[in-house]
Amino acid sequence: MTALAIGAAGGLVVPPGHGRTLDTRAQHVTFKVTGEHSRTASTFEVVVPPGFDVGAHAHGQSEELFYLLDGELDVLAFEPLVRTRDSWREWESASGQRAVRATPGTLILVPAGCPHAFANPTGTPARMLFQASPPPDHERYFEELMEILAEAGEGGEVDHAAVERLRLRYDIDQITPLRHDAGRPGGS
């Protein structure tokens, strides 16, 4: 069964394993619901490989929701007392919040303007459902980010200047860097 739109006034059924997929060594993203289907949110299934750290960032206009399906991720969603530029892992909020280890069933809601991050410090991939509102900016962002990451190739260095320009274009204030090997033994 392929993805099926049920009439002009009906819904959308997307079976397991279906949707348009973008794949690099850094992330595997499957588009489940796009701006073509919804005015309110894009929905993606994202596989986060070991060592991937999206870096702390915030969106001026976009709201996001993450729901962890499999694996474990370190996550945060708060304004820290101090925004250090190298790493978000030691951040603390005014109320004492710190990054937490998310396990399957954990939901993270991130309002516009709220710094947030996730990283996979384990040796196994994590899988999450991710929504971004409004569409289609995250769809376009993922497409362009995957091109940049693919250009780095296996073991190659990511063009951080290109990622920065891309994030600025899509209303993303990157606070700490995106990393491919953070948290892995021997990683940076």
Side-chain angles (χ1 to χ4, degrees):
M1 171 190 225
T2 59
L4 176 65
I6 307 179
L12 176 71
V13 175
V14 183
H18 289 266
R20 186 166 62 97
T21 299
L22 303 175
D23 195 17
T24 70
R25 69 182 176 93
Q27 277 188 323
H28 179 91
V29 177
T30 302
F31 292 45
K32 296 294 190 175
V33 177
T34 66
E36 176 185 343
H37 309 110
S38 172
R39 294 180 313 230
T40 58
S42 300
T43 304
F44 313 91
E45 184 176 316
V46 179
V47 176
V48 183
F52 184 81
D53 179 346
V54 73
H57 60 282
H59 310 279
Q61 304 299 315
S62 194
E63 181 174 275
E64 295 180 333
L65 181 139
F66 302 89
Y67 185 83
L68 192 57
L69 299 167
D70 297 309
E72 296 182 358
L73 294 173
D74 287 344
V75 300
L76 73 74
F78 59 79
E79 182 63 55
L81 290 168
V82 177
R83 288 185 177 192
T84 56
R85 293 284 174 190
D86 183 53
S87 176
W88 53 268
R89 292 177 184 272
E90 299 305 317
W91 285 8
E92 184 175 350
S93 74
S95 65
Q97 286 181 291
R98 297 184 69 85
V100 298
R101 178 66 53 97
T103 56
T106 302
L107 183 136
I108 302 102
L109 178 64
V110 182
C114 179
H116 56 287
F118 63 85
N120 184 349
T122 74
T124 59
R127 189 171 60 97
M128 67 180 168
L129 188 68
F130 165 61
Q131 282 192 323
S133 176
D137 280 0
H138 253 77
E139 298 160 36
R140 293 179 182 141
Y141 169 74
F142 272 135
E143 290 166 343
E144 293 180 42
L145 177 62
M146 294 301 214
E147 288 175 14
I148 293 169
L149 297 176
E151 288 172 6
E154 188 64 36
E157 182 63 29
V158 173
D159 182 346
H160 291 287
V163 172
E164 177 64 22
R165 288 189 301 273
L166 175 67
R167 289 184 175 222
L168 288 173
R169 216 169 46 251
Y170 286 103
D171 186 36
I172 301 170
D173 175 19
Q174 189 70 33
I175 303 163
T176 67
L178 176 147
R179 294 185 169 116
H180 287 266
D181 58 352
R184 275 200 311 226
S188 60

